[in-house]
Amino acid sequence: EHSIFAGPIRPAMPPGTPPVLADERFRFASVAFARYNPTSVEGVVTELPFGPNHAIRSRLLEGMRLCESIGPCGRNYPMGSETELLLRLRARGEGVVFVPSAPVVHVIEPHQVSLRWLWGRGFRFGRGQVRLDPDVSSRQLLGAPRYLFREAAVAGVQAAYGTVINSRRKWERVIAMGIACGAIREYRALGAQPASVTMRTT
């Protein structure tokens, strides 16, 4: 009766990972490491799965194409290609079944637990959020919603004052700053050159 399935994603952190990043309560664990575990029982869930652990029946993809304007392309791109596809499937009425007995261990590389990499991850995530759900109603500044500039500035100041490298605030605010900066970049890019959605076959 169902066609989309998702299982838990458990990040396997490298030796020397700051404890705050390995903590399941870390605010951006899903953004940074694709951690996914919405419930402990099998059943339909509202949370869309992440790329490392989901399955879609092939019949659902007949006649569908993947969007080429979002997803991996070089080192700097708007994240969210699987999410974009899943959003379209959900709009058609398809639900997601969570299967807790089908976990995946997602290996995290040492360079992925650095401030620089996590800022970049946030940047790509922010770009993708604009592609997936742009804010067209808020007041604009330099081609992007004004609140994003405030969020980027506040997060930057808070990250700078989180001088203890293992402090939760420092890590979280670095990612938050990346998200805001990535969103600003994408709004400005789309404003300068209207996006054309190019599709590729599955």
Side-chain angles (χ1 to χ4, degrees):
E1 297 176 359
H2 298 279
S3 299
I4 304 174
F5 305 90
I9 302 173
R10 301 168 183 162
M13 298 299 193
T17 297
V20 64
L21 298 183
D23 190 334
E24 292 188 5
R25 297 168 297 176
F26 182 60
R27 179 181 170 194
F28 291 108
S30 60
V31 173
F33 310 117
R35 187 190 298 276
Y36 183 80
N37 193 31
T39 182
S40 60
V41 297
E42 183 173 308
V44 177
V45 293
T46 57
E47 297 90 340
L48 291 178
F50 293 109
N53 193 12
H54 74 281
I56 302 172
R57 293 192 191 275
S58 59
R59 63 177 175 78
L60 280 194
L61 302 177
E62 294 176 3
M64 293 194 73
R65 295 168 180 260
L66 293 173
C67 179
E68 286 192 349
S69 66
I70 187 169
C73 182
R75 295 186 177 183
N76 183 8
Y77 54 85
M79 286 172 50
S81 52
E82 296 99 341
T83 301
E84 191 277 334
L85 175 65
L86 289 164
L87 284 170
R88 280 189 281 149
L89 291 174
R90 187 164 68 179
R92 286 172 27 178
E94 301 292 344
V96 176
V97 174
F98 180 65
V99 186
S101 60
V104 158
V105 175
H106 190 203
V107 177
I108 307 302
E109 300 291 342
H111 73 277
Q112 294 175 314
V113 291
S114 68
L115 287 170
R116 179 176 180 178
W117 189 88
L118 289 171
W119 186 91
R121 176 81 168 178
F123 190 89
R124 295 189 296 276
F125 180 82
R127 290 189 61 189
Q129 291 303 292
V130 174
R131 292 277 181 169
L132 293 171
D133 188 22
D135 180 353
V136 296
S137 61
S138 295
R139 298 182 66 179
Q140 303 281 302
L141 174 66
L142 300 176
R146 294 199 312 178
Y147 63 82
L148 287 172
F149 293 93
R150 181 177 65 254
E151 289 180 2
V154 170
V157 169
Q158 290 177 341
Y161 278 93
T163 53
V164 179
I165 194 66
N166 288 335
S167 70
R168 181 182 300 274
R169 168 166 285 191
K170 187 175 188 72
W171 290 98
E172 290 182 345
R173 301 322 291 167
V174 163
I175 297 173
M177 181 173 59
I179 293 172
C181 289
I184 291 169
R185 186 267 186 209
E186 199 65 16
Y187 276 113
R188 289 176 57 80
L190 293 177
Q193 184 176 2
S196 59
V197 177
T198 305
M199 312 297 255
R200 64 176 181 266
T201 56
T202 57

